[in-house]
Coordinates of all heavy atoms in Angstrom, one line a residue:
W20 N -18.4 -18.8 -41.0 CA -19.7 -18.5 -41.6 C -19.5 -17.5 -42.8 O -20.5 -17.3 -43.5 CB -20.6 -18.0 -40.6 CG -20.2 -16.8 -39.8 CD1 -19.7 -16.9 -38.5 CD2 -20.4 -15.5 -40.1 NE1 -19.5 -15.6 -38.1 CE2 -19.9 -14.7 -39.0 CE3 -20.9 -14.8 -41.2 CZ2 -20.0 -13.3 -39.0 CZ3 -21.0 -13.4 -41.2 CH2 -20.5 -12.7 -40.1
L21 N -18.4 -17.0 -43.0 CA -18.2 -16.1 -44.1 C -18.3 -16.8 -45.4 O -18.7 -16.3 -46.5 CB -16.9 -15.3 -44.0 CG -16.8 -14.3 -42.9 CD1 -15.3 -13.8 -42.9 CD2 -17.8 -13.2 -43.0
G22 N -18.0 -18.1 -45.4 CA -18.0 -18.9 -46.6 C -19.2 -19.8 -46.8 O -19.3 -20.5 -47.7
G23 N -20.2 -19.6 -45.9 CA -21.4 -20.4 -46.0 C -21.4 -21.7 -45.2 O -20.4 -22.3 -45.0
C24 N -22.5 -22.1 -44.6 CA -22.6 -23.3 -43.8 C -23.8 -24.1 -44.4 O -24.4 -23.7 -45.3 CB -22.8 -22.9 -42.4 SG -21.4 -22.1 -41.7
S25 N -24.0 -25.2 -43.7 CA -25.0 -26.1 -44.2 C -26.5 -25.6 -44.1 O -27.4 -26.1 -44.7 CB -24.9 -27.5 -43.5 OG -25.1 -27.3 -42.1
S26 N -26.7 -24.6 -43.2 CA -28.1 -24.1 -43.0 C -28.0 -22.7 -42.6 O -27.0 -22.2 -42.0 CB -28.8 -24.9 -42.0 OG -28.3 -24.7 -40.7
F27 N -29.1 -21.9 -43.0 CA -29.1 -20.5 -42.6 C -29.2 -20.3 -41.1 O -28.6 -19.4 -40.6 CB -30.3 -19.9 -43.3 CG -30.4 -18.4 -43.0 CD1 -29.6 -17.5 -43.6 CD2 -31.3 -17.9 -42.0 CE1 -29.7 -16.1 -43.3 CE2 -31.4 -16.6 -41.7 CZ -30.6 -15.7 -42.4
S28 N -29.8 -21.2 -40.4 CA -29.9 -21.1 -38.9 C -28.6 -21.2 -38.3 O -28.3 -20.5 -37.3 CB -30.9 -22.1 -38.4 OG -30.5 -23.4 -38.6
Y29 N -27.8 -22.1 -38.8 CA -26.4 -22.3 -38.3 C -25.6 -21.0 -38.6 O -24.9 -20.5 -37.7 CB -25.8 -23.5 -38.8 CG -24.4 -23.8 -38.2 CD1 -24.3 -24.2 -36.9 CD2 -23.2 -23.7 -39.0 CE1 -23.1 -24.5 -36.3 CE2 -22.0 -24.0 -38.4 CZ -21.9 -24.4 -37.0 OH -20.7 -24.6 -36.5
Y30 N -25.7 -20.5 -39.8 CA -25.0 -19.3 -40.2 C -25.4 -18.2 -39.3 O -24.6 -17.4 -38.8 CB -25.4 -19.0 -41.6 CG -25.2 -17.6 -42.1 CD1 -24.0 -17.3 -42.8 CD2 -26.1 -16.6 -41.9 CE1 -23.8 -16.0 -43.2 CE2 -25.9 -15.3 -42.3 CZ -24.7 -15.0 -43.0 OH -24.5 -13.7 -43.4
S31 N -26.7 -18.1 -39.0 CA -27.2 -16.9 -38.2 C -26.7 -17.0 -36.8 O -26.3 -15.9 -36.2 CB -28.8 -17.0 -38.2 OG -29.3 -16.8 -39.5
Q32 N -26.7 -18.2 -36.2 CA -26.3 -18.2 -34.8 C -24.8 -17.9 -34.6 O -24.4 -17.3 -33.6 CB -26.7 -19.5 -34.1 CG -26.0 -20.8 -34.6 CD -24.7 -21.1 -33.8 OE1 -24.6 -20.7 -32.7 NE2 -23.8 -21.8 -34.5
L33 N -24.0 -18.3 -35.6 CA -22.6 -18.0 -35.6 C -22.4 -16.5 -35.7 O -21.6 -15.9 -35.0 CB -21.8 -18.8 -36.7 CG -21.5 -20.2 -36.4 CD1 -20.8 -20.8 -37.7 CD2 -20.7 -20.4 -35.2
A34 N -23.0 -15.9 -36.7 CA -22.9 -14.5 -36.9 C -23.4 -13.7 -35.7 O -22.7 -12.8 -35.2 CB -23.7 -14.1 -38.1
S35 N -24.5 -14.0 -35.2 CA -25.1 -13.3 -34.0 C -24.2 -13.5 -32.8 O -24.0 -12.5 -32.1 CB -26.5 -13.8 -33.7 OG -27.0 -13.2 -32.6
G36 N -23.8 -14.7 -32.5 CA -22.9 -14.9 -31.3 C -21.6 -14.2 -31.4 O -21.2 -13.6 -30.4
Q37 N -21.0 -14.2 -32.5 CA -19.7 -13.5 -32.6 C -19.9 -11.9 -32.5 O -19.1 -11.2 -31.9 CB -19.0 -13.8 -33.9 CG -17.7 -13.1 -34.1 CD -16.6 -13.5 -33.1 OE1 -16.5 -14.7 -32.8 NE2 -15.8 -12.6 -32.6
L38 N -20.9 -11.4 -33.2 CA -21.2 -10.0 -33.1 C -21.6 -9.5 -31.7 O -21.1 -8.5 -31.3 CB -22.3 -9.6 -34.1 CG -21.9 -9.8 -35.6 CD1 -23.2 -9.5 -36.4 CD2 -20.8 -8.8 -35.9
Q39 N -22.3 -10.4 -31.0 CA -22.6 -10.0 -29.6 C -21.4 -10.0 -28.7 O -21.2 -9.1 -27.9 CB -23.6 -11.0 -29.0 CG -25.0 -10.9 -29.5 CD -25.9 -12.0 -29.0 OE1 -25.6 -12.8 -28.2 NE2 -27.1 -12.0 -29.6
L40 N -20.4 -10.9 -29.0 CA -19.2 -10.9 -28.3 C -18.4 -9.7 -28.6 O -17.8 -9.0 -27.6 CB -18.4 -12.2 -28.6 CG -17.1 -12.5 -27.9 CD1 -16.9 -14.0 -27.9 CD2 -15.9 -11.8 -28.4
L41 N -18.3 -9.3 -29.8 CA -17.5 -8.1 -30.2 C -18.1 -6.9 -29.6 O -17.4 -6.0 -29.1 CB -17.5 -8.0 -31.7 CG -16.8 -9.1 -32.5 CD1 -16.9 -8.8 -34.0 CD2 -15.3 -9.2 -32.1
A42 N -19.4 -6.8 -29.5 CA -20.1 -5.6 -29.0 C -19.9 -5.5 -27.4 O -20.0 -4.4 -26.9 CB -21.6 -5.7 -29.3
A43 N -19.6 -6.6 -26.8 CA -19.4 -6.6 -25.3 C -18.0 -6.2 -24.9 O -17.8 -6.0 -23.7 CB -19.8 -8.0 -24.8
R44 N -17.1 -6.0 -25.8 CA -15.7 -5.7 -25.5 C -15.6 -4.3 -24.9 O -16.2 -3.4 -25.4 CB -14.8 -5.9 -26.7 CG -14.8 -7.3 -27.3 CD -13.9 -7.3 -28.5 NE -14.4 -6.3 -29.6 CZ -13.8 -6.1 -30.7 NH1 -12.6 -6.7 -31.0 NH2 -14.2 -5.2 -31.6
E45 N -14.6 -4.2 -24.0 CA -14.2 -2.9 -23.5 C -12.7 -2.9 -23.1 O -12.2 -4.0 -22.8 CB -15.0 -2.5 -22.3 CG -15.1 -3.5 -21.2 CD -16.0 -3.1 -20.0 OE1 -16.0 -1.9 -19.7 OE2 -16.7 -3.9 -19.5
P46 N -12.0 -1.8 -23.2 CA -10.6 -1.9 -23.0 C -10.3 -2.3 -21.5 O -10.9 -1.8 -20.6 CB -10.1 -0.4 -23.3 CG -11.2 0.1 -24.2 CD -12.4 -0.5 -23.7
V47 N -9.3 -3.2 -21.4 CA -8.9 -3.6 -20.1 C -8.4 -2.4 -19.3 O -8.6 -2.3 -18.1 CB -7.9 -4.8 -20.2 CG1 -7.2 -5.0 -18.8 CG2 -8.5 -6.0 -20.6
A48 N -7.6 -1.6 -19.9 CA -7.0 -0.4 -19.3 C -8.0 0.4 -18.6 O -7.8 1.0 -17.5 CB -6.2 0.4 -20.2
D49 N -9.2 0.6 -19.2 CA -10.3 1.4 -18.7 C -10.8 0.8 -17.4 O -11.2 1.5 -16.4 CB -11.4 1.6 -19.7 CG -11.0 2.5 -20.8 OD1 -9.8 3.1 -20.8 OD2 -11.7 2.6 -21.8
I50 N -11.0 -0.5 -17.4 CA -11.5 -1.3 -16.3 C -10.6 -1.2 -15.1 O -10.9 -0.9 -14.0 CB -11.8 -2.7 -16.6 CG1 -12.9 -2.8 -17.7 CG2 -12.3 -3.5 -15.4 CD1 -13.1 -4.2 -18.3
V51 N -9.3 -1.4 -15.4 CA -8.3 -1.4 -14.3 C -8.2 0.0 -13.7 O -8.0 0.1 -12.5 CB -6.9 -1.8 -14.9 CG1 -5.8 -1.6 -13.9 CG2 -6.9 -3.3 -15.3
A52 N -8.4 1.0 -14.5 CA -8.3 2.4 -14.0 C -9.5 2.9 -13.3 O -9.5 4.0 -12.7 CB -7.9 3.3 -15.1
D53 N -10.6 2.2 -13.3 CA -11.9 2.6 -12.8 C -12.1 2.1 -11.4 O -12.4 0.9 -11.2 CB -13.0 2.2 -13.7 CG -14.4 2.7 -13.3 OD1 -14.5 3.4 -12.3 OD2 -15.4 2.5 -14.1
P54 N -12.0 2.9 -10.4 CA -12.2 2.4 -9.0 C -13.6 1.9 -8.7 O -13.8 1.2 -7.7 CB -11.8 3.6 -8.1 CG -12.0 4.8 -9.0 CD -11.7 4.3 -10.4
A55 N -14.6 2.3 -9.5 CA -15.9 1.8 -9.3 C -16.1 0.4 -9.8 O -17.2 -0.2 -9.4 CB -16.9 2.7 -10.1
R56 N -15.2 -0.2 -10.5 CA -15.4 -1.6 -11.0 C -14.9 -2.5 -9.9 O -14.2 -2.2 -8.9 CB -14.6 -1.8 -12.3 CG -14.9 -0.9 -13.4 CD -16.4 -1.2 -13.9 NE -16.5 -2.5 -14.6 CZ -16.4 -2.6 -15.9 NH1 -16.2 -1.6 -16.7 NH2 -16.5 -3.8 -16.4
D57 N -15.3 -3.8 -10.0 CA -15.0 -4.8 -9.0 C -13.5 -4.9 -8.8 O -12.7 -5.1 -9.8 CB -15.6 -6.2 -9.5 CG -15.2 -7.3 -8.5 OD1 -15.9 -7.3 -7.5 OD2 -14.3 -8.1 -8.8
A58 N -13.1 -4.8 -7.6 CA -11.6 -4.8 -7.2 C -10.9 -6.1 -7.6 O -9.8 -6.0 -8.2 CB -11.4 -4.5 -5.8
A59 N -11.6 -7.2 -7.4 CA -11.0 -8.5 -7.8 C -10.8 -8.6 -9.3 O -9.8 -9.1 -9.8 CB -11.8 -9.6 -7.2
L60 N -11.8 -8.2 -10.0 CA -11.7 -8.2 -11.5 C -10.5 -7.3 -12.0 O -9.7 -7.7 -12.8 CB -13.0 -7.7 -12.1 CG -13.0 -7.6 -13.6 CD1 -12.7 -9.0 -14.3 CD2 -14.3 -7.0 -14.1
R61 N -10.4 -6.1 -11.4 CA -9.4 -5.2 -11.8 C -8.0 -5.8 -11.5 O -7.1 -5.7 -12.3 CB -9.5 -3.9 -11.0 CG -10.8 -3.1 -11.4 CD -11.0 -1.9 -10.5 NE -9.9 -1.0 -10.5 CZ -9.5 -0.2 -9.5 NH1 -10.2 -0.3 -8.3 NH2 -8.5 0.6 -9.5
K62 N -7.9 -6.4 -10.4 CA -6.6 -7.0 -10.0 C -6.2 -8.2 -11.0 O -5.1 -8.3 -11.5 CB -6.6 -7.6 -8.6 CG -5.3 -8.2 -8.1 CD -5.5 -8.7 -6.7 CE -4.2 -9.3 -6.2 NZ -4.3 -9.8 -4.8
R63 N -7.2 -9.0 -11.3 CA -6.9 -10.1 -12.2 C -6.6 -9.6 -13.6 O -5.7 -10.1 -14.3 CB -8.1 -11.0 -12.3 CG -8.4 -11.7 -10.9 CD -9.2 -13.0 -11.2 NE -8.3 -14.0 -11.8 CZ -8.8 -15.2 -12.3 NH1 -10.0 -15.5 -12.1 NH2 -8.0 -16.0 -12.9
L64 N -7.3 -8.6 -14.1 CA -7.0 -8.1 -15.4 C -5.7 -7.4 -15.5 O -5.0 -7.4 -16.5 CB -8.2 -7.2 -15.9 CG -9.5 -7.8 -16.1 CD1 -10.6 -6.8 -16.5 CD2 -9.4 -8.9 -17.2
A65 N -5.3 -6.7 -14.4 CA -4.0 -6.1 -14.4 C -2.9 -7.1 -14.5 O -1.9 -6.9 -15.3 CB -3.8 -5.3 -13.1
L66 N -3.0 -8.2 -13.8 CA -2.0 -9.3 -13.9 C -2.0 -9.9 -15.3 O -1.0 -10.2 -15.9 CB -2.2 -10.4 -12.9 CG -1.2 -11.5 -12.8 CD1 0.2 -10.9 -12.6 CD2 -1.5 -12.5 -11.7
A67 N -3.2 -10.1 -15.9 CA -3.4 -10.6 -17.2 C -2.6 -9.7 -18.2 O -2.1 -10.2 -19.2 CB -4.8 -10.7 -17.6
Q68 N -2.7 -8.4 -18.0 CA -2.0 -7.5 -18.9 C -0.5 -7.6 -18.8 O 0.3 -7.5 -19.8 CB -2.4 -6.1 -18.7 CG -3.8 -5.8 -19.1 CD -4.2 -6.3 -20.5 OE1 -3.9 -5.7 -21.5 NE2 -4.8 -7.5 -20.5
Q69 N 0.0 -8.0 -17.6 CA 1.5 -8.3 -17.5 C 1.8 -9.5 -18.3 O 2.8 -9.5 -19.0 CB 1.8 -8.5 -16.0 CG 1.6 -7.2 -15.2 CD 1.9 -7.5 -13.7 OE1 2.7 -8.4 -13.4 NE2 1.3 -6.8 -12.8
A70 N 1.0 -10.5 -18.2 CA 1.2 -11.7 -19.0 C 1.1 -11.4 -20.5 O 1.9 -12.0 -21.3 CB 0.2 -12.8 -18.6
R71 N 0.2 -10.5 -20.9 CA 0.0 -10.2 -22.3 C 1.2 -9.5 -22.8 O 1.7 -9.7 -23.9 CB -1.3 -9.3 -22.4 CG -1.5 -8.8 -23.9 CD -1.9 -10.0 -24.7 NE -2.1 -9.6 -26.1 CZ -1.1 -9.5 -27.0 NH1 0.2 -9.7 -26.6 NH2 -1.3 -9.2 -28.3
D72 N 1.8 -8.6 -22.0 CA 3.0 -7.9 -22.4 C 4.2 -8.8 -22.5 O 5.0 -8.7 -23.4 CB 3.3 -6.8 -21.4 CG 2.3 -5.6 -21.4 OD1 1.6 -5.5 -22.4 OD2 2.2 -4.9 -20.4
F73 N 4.2 -9.8 -21.6 CA 5.3 -10.8 -21.6 C 5.2 -11.6 -22.9 O 6.2 -12.0 -23.5 CB 5.2 -11.7 -20.4 CG 6.2 -12.7 -20.2 CD1 7.4 -12.5 -19.6 CD2 6.0 -14.0 -20.7 CE1 8.4 -13.4 -19.5 CE2 7.0 -15.0 -20.6 CZ 8.2 -14.7 -20.0
A74 N 4.0 -12.0 -23.3 CA 3.8 -12.8 -24.5 C 4.4 -12.1 -25.7 O 5.0 -12.8 -26.5 CB 2.3 -13.0 -24.7
T75 N 4.2 -10.8 -25.8 CA 4.8 -10.1 -27.0 C 6.3 -9.9 -26.8 O 7.1 -10.2 -27.7 CB 4.1 -8.7 -27.2 OG1 2.8 -8.9 -27.5 CG2 4.8 -7.9 -28.3
A76 N 6.7 -9.4 -25.7 CA 8.1 -9.1 -25.5 C 9.1 -10.3 -25.4 O 10.2 -10.2 -25.9 CB 8.3 -8.2 -24.2
Q77 N 8.6 -11.3 -24.7 CA 9.5 -12.5 -24.5 C 9.2 -13.7 -25.4 O 10.1 -14.4 -25.7 CB 9.4 -12.9 -23.0 CG 9.8 -11.8 -22.1 CD 11.3 -11.3 -22.3 OE1 12.2 -12.1 -22.6 NE2 11.5 -10.0 -22.2
L78 N 7.9 -13.9 -25.7 CA 7.5 -15.1 -26.4 C 7.4 -14.8 -27.9 O 7.1 -15.7 -28.7 CB 6.2 -15.7 -25.9 CG 6.2 -16.0 -24.4 CD1 4.9 -16.7 -24.0 CD2 7.4 -16.9 -23.9
H79 N 7.5 -13.5 -28.3 CA 7.4 -13.1 -29.7 C 6.1 -13.5 -30.3 O 6.0 -13.8 -31.5 CB 8.6 -13.7 -30.5 CG 9.9 -13.2 -30.1 ND1 11.0 -13.2 -31.0 CD2 10.4 -12.7 -28.9 CE1 12.1 -12.7 -30.4 NE2 11.7 -12.4 -29.1
L80 N 5.0 -13.3 -29.5 CA 3.7 -13.6 -30.0 C 3.1 -12.2 -30.5 O 3.6 -11.2 -30.2 CB 2.8 -14.2 -28.9 CG 3.2 -15.6 -28.5 CD1 2.6 -16.1 -27.3 CD2 2.9 -16.6 -29.7
P81 N 2.0 -12.3 -31.3 CA 1.5 -11.1 -31.9 C 1.3 -9.9 -31.0 O 0.7 -10.1 -29.9 CB 0.2 -11.5 -32.6 CG 0.5 -13.0 -32.8 CD 1.3 -13.5 -31.7
D82 N 1.7 -8.7 -31.5 CA 1.5 -7.5 -30.7 C 0.3 -6.8 -31.3 O 0.4 -6.0 -32.3 CB 2.7 -6.6 -30.8 CG 2.6 -5.3 -29.9 OD1 1.6 -5.3 -29.1 OD2 3.5 -4.5 -30.0
N83 N -0.9 -7.0 -30.8 CA -2.1 -6.4 -31.3 C -3.1 -6.2 -30.1 O -2.7 -6.3 -29.0 CB -2.7 -7.3 -32.4 CG -2.9 -8.8 -31.9 OD1 -3.2 -9.0 -30.7 ND2 -2.8 -9.7 -32.8
R84 N -4.3 -5.9 -30.4 CA -5.3 -5.6 -29.4 C -5.9 -6.8 -28.7 O -6.7 -6.7 -27.8 CB -6.4 -4.7 -30.0 CG -6.0 -3.4 -30.4 CD -7.1 -2.6 -31.0 NE -8.1 -2.2 -30.0 CZ -9.4 -2.3 -30.2 NH1 -9.9 -2.8 -31.3 NH2 -10.2 -2.0 -29.2
S85 N -5.6 -8.0 -29.3 CA -6.2 -9.2 -28.6 C -5.7 -9.4 -27.2 O -4.6 -9.2 -26.9 CB -5.7 -10.5 -29.4 OG -6.4 -10.5 -30.7
Y86 N -6.7 -9.7 -26.3 CA -6.5 -9.9 -24.9 C -6.0 -8.6 -24.2 O -5.5 -8.6 -23.1 CB -5.5 -11.1 -24.6 CG -6.0 -12.3 -25.4 CD1 -5.3 -12.7 -26.5 CD2 -7.2 -12.8 -25.1 CE1 -5.8 -13.8 -27.3 CE2 -7.7 -13.9 -25.9 CZ -7.0 -14.4 -26.9 OH -7.5 -15.4 -27.7

Side-chain angles (χ1 to χ4, degrees):
W20 56 264
L21 292 176
C24 293
S25 60
S26 69
F27 180 76
S28 61
Y29 186 67
Y30 163 96
S31 297
Q32 68 89 25
L33 281 179
S35 176
Q37 180 66 41
L38 291 173
Q39 288 175 5
L40 187 153
L41 294 177
R44 297 177 304 175
E45 53 184 321
V47 167
D49 291 353
I50 298 173
V51 173
D53 186 354
R56 301 296 288 266
D57 179 74
L60 175 63
R61 293 169 62 208
K62 181 178 179 181
R63 295 206 66 188
L64 291 179
L66 184 58
Q68 292 311 281
Q69 295 177 28
R71 179 64 184 85
D72 292 340
F73 182 86
T75 295
Q77 302 299 322
L78 308 183
H79 294 205
L80 291 168
D82 186 7
N83 53 34
R84 295 177 68 225
S85 288
Y86 309 110

